[in-house]
Amino acid sequence: MSLIPKKGNVYVVDDDEAVRDSLQWLLEGKDYRVKCFDSAESFLARYDPREVACLIADIRMEGMTGLELQDRLIERKSPLPIVFITGHGDVPMAVQTMKKGAMDFIEKPFKEEELLALVERMLDQARDAFSSHQEAASRDALLARLTTREAQVLERIVAGRLNKQIADDLGISIKTVEAHRANIMEKLNANTVADLLKIALGATAKA
């Protein structure tokens, strides 16, 4: 049984203890699991990318700023959805974060309803991203079972090459190509060529 509440995890990163406490009280009251951090550095040290979660971060903090935190997450290729808390004078900075992929920003003092709606949107996005990540990991695990030669044959099947053309490309017999195709189908748990293409093309799209 999952220990994660149905509504998901929310990270709060803010160097203002009053803001952290307020957000934690609000979100836990709505059945979210909340993890608070007083700095971007402490958050990065404990962030688990395997969790379905979203991030609420102050844009201005002592030490690493919200902008710098976003850059670090981008470097890590993290899909974590982010919304920034801003003061009135920080709006141009907040717009910059959205150009880099932040979902939104909210100005202080923010409305509870607005924040809760954003959190739910972010968690929906996080669930989709996590599902895609799991599917990609599953595909990668299957493809890793192929030998180098089988991978070469699969690459040509995906390119639409016929068995005879694949045999000519690789300097092997048509029967050998057919044997490789059968092994590939078995290893990738594919019943049809369409199944095979979905697995192979899904991995190519991810790459």
Side-chain angles (χ1 to χ4, degrees):
M1 186 177 80
S2 173
L3 297 178
I4 299 174
K6 183 173 65 175
K7 285 193 172 183
N9 297 285
V10 182
Y11 296 120
V12 175
V13 181
D14 198 307
D15 58 4
D16 185 328
E17 184 178 4
V19 173
R20 294 196 306 272
D21 289 347
S22 173
L23 287 170
Q24 185 166 15
W25 178 84
L26 170 65
L27 293 166
E28 286 185 343
K30 298 296 182 181
D31 199 29
Y32 295 102
R33 182 183 180 194
V34 183
K35 296 182 181 179
C36 293
F37 301 88
D38 60 5
S39 70
E41 292 88 346
S42 62
F43 165 71
L44 285 172
R46 296 177 61 186
Y47 168 51
D48 184 350
R50 295 170 298 179
E51 287 189 328
V52 177
C54 65
L55 170 62
I56 301 172
D58 193 0
I59 207 163
R60 286 186 186 273
M61 293 183 282
E62 293 293 328
M64 188 186 298
T65 66
L67 279 169
E68 291 168 335
L69 171 57
Q70 183 183 30
D71 287 340
R72 294 289 181 87
L73 290 170
I74 290 170
E75 288 171 9
R76 294 187 183 189
K77 296 180 167 47
S78 167
L80 186 68
I82 308 172
V83 62
F84 284 99
I85 301 172
T86 71
H88 179 68
D90 299 333
V91 170
M93 292 171 61
V95 171
Q96 186 180 341
T97 69
M98 291 187 69
K99 289 179 180 177
K100 290 184 178 181
M103 180 168 281
D104 213 331
F105 64 90
I106 52 174
E107 286 188 77
K108 301 173 184 175
F110 50 81
K111 297 178 181 177
E112 292 184 2
E113 297 79 9
E114 178 185 0
L115 177 66
L116 291 170
L118 277 174
V119 165
E120 199 49 50
R121 276 173 50 205
M122 286 196 294
L123 286 171
D124 283 343
Q125 178 176 306
R127 291 181 195 106
D128 290 342
F130 185 77
S131 176
S132 298
H133 175 76
Q134 292 291 87
E135 289 173 9
S138 177
R139 285 195 302 266
D140 289 348
L142 287 173
L143 290 167
R145 299 169 64 187
L146 301 181
T147 65
T148 300
R149 179 63 86 192
E150 288 166 352
Q152 292 170 338
V153 171
L154 176 60
E155 182 181 350
R156 287 161 175 78
I157 293 172
V158 172
R161 305 285 283 171
L162 302 174
N163 282 358
K164 183 179 186 307
Q165 294 171 315
I166 296 173
D168 291 341
D169 289 345
L170 300 177
I172 57 180
S173 70
I174 293 177
K175 284 189 176 181
T176 301
V177 173
E178 290 172 347
H180 283 315
R181 283 183 75 126
N183 287 339
I184 292 167
M185 297 286 282
E186 181 179 352
K187 287 183 178 180
L188 299 187
N189 298 327
N191 296 317
T192 66
V193 174
D195 291 340
L196 198 65
L197 292 175
K198 285 177 185 176
I199 295 169
L201 291 173
T204 301
K206 176 177 176 284

